Amino acid sequence: MQPKGSWKPSLNLATVLTSIRLLLTEPNPSDPLMAEIANEYQFNKERFEESAKKWTKEYANQNSTS
């Protein structure tokens, strides 16, 4: 059975983490997952950054209770 999508067994954890880091530091708004967010990133950077801070504060700073 062949893996689906672009994942290949030859990709190791270091490669995956490097890819994630690059996407976070250099996003590509020309090929977005969420077009609305990409538009905000391209055309209203201030609002994008405010929204990103809000979401980060709300979800990344939560203490895990599980």
Side-chain angles (χ1 to χ4, degrees), residues 7-59:
W7 176 260
K8 294 182 176 92
S10 62
L11 295 176
N12 59 31
L13 184 58
T15 304
V16 172
L17 292 174
T18 299
S19 297
I20 291 170
R21 182 180 55 84
L22 287 172
L23 283 172
L24 290 172
T25 58
E26 298 177 30
N28 180 5
S30 301
D31 185 22
L33 178 62
M34 305 286 292
E36 189 174 318
I37 295 170
N39 284 336
E40 193 172 272
Y41 178 83
Q42 288 179 303
F43 304 112
N44 193 345
K45 194 76 169 238
E46 186 176 312
R47 183 173 178 197
F48 170 84
E49 289 179 2
E50 287 174 12
S51 180
K53 286 176 186 177
K54 175 188 161 225
W55 286 102
T56 301
K57 186 176 182 180
E58 185 171 339
Y59 292 102

